[in-house]
Amino acid sequence: MKRISEVLSWKFWIWLPVVGILLPLIFNLLPGGWVNVKLMVALFIVNMLFSIYVGNFLRRHGAFSILLIVWPLIFLISVWLGINSKMYGYYLALAYLVIELFAFTRGQEKEIDIEDQLPVDGGMQDL
């Protein structure tokens, strides 16, 4: 239960729709030349940094790995609503998921407590 309560931080869940839906919508409401700025700043820099943050947040709080799909799904909602282009929106959602996975699994590639494990070279014996 503690694991779930740590992930239910309202600040984290408020930032998901703000970055995924509201930020691109604000760039869409700006005058014509801001579309390229939206693409570079909001969709690449801010959202990719936010993907790293989401992956680190979920790993740090011991969250279920299924929650990694929430951020790309919120971004896909903005694509389905027409806020972001379908031409690149699906690919960016997939890129955000991959970046989250990298951030979530960072540091898990080596066994930390390998020295503390019991050797089983001769098979299991009474301790």
Side-chain angles (χ1 to χ4, degrees), residues 5 7-8 18 25 28 39 45 57 72 77-78 82 94 106 110 120 124 127:
S5 66
V7 177
L8 293 178
V18 166
L25 185 64
N28 284 346
L39 185 65
I45 297 171
F57 177 84
I77 289 171
S78 74
L94 183 63
R106 183 180 59 89
K110 55 184 177 177
V120 290
M124 295 299 288
L127 296 176

Side-chain angles (χ1 to χ4, degrees), residues 12 15 18 29 34 41 52 58 82 92 100 107 116 122:
F12 171 72
W15 277 107
V18 166
L29 295 176
W34 287 90
V41 173
I52 294 170
L58 293 177
L92 284 176
E100 273 185 319
D116 297 334

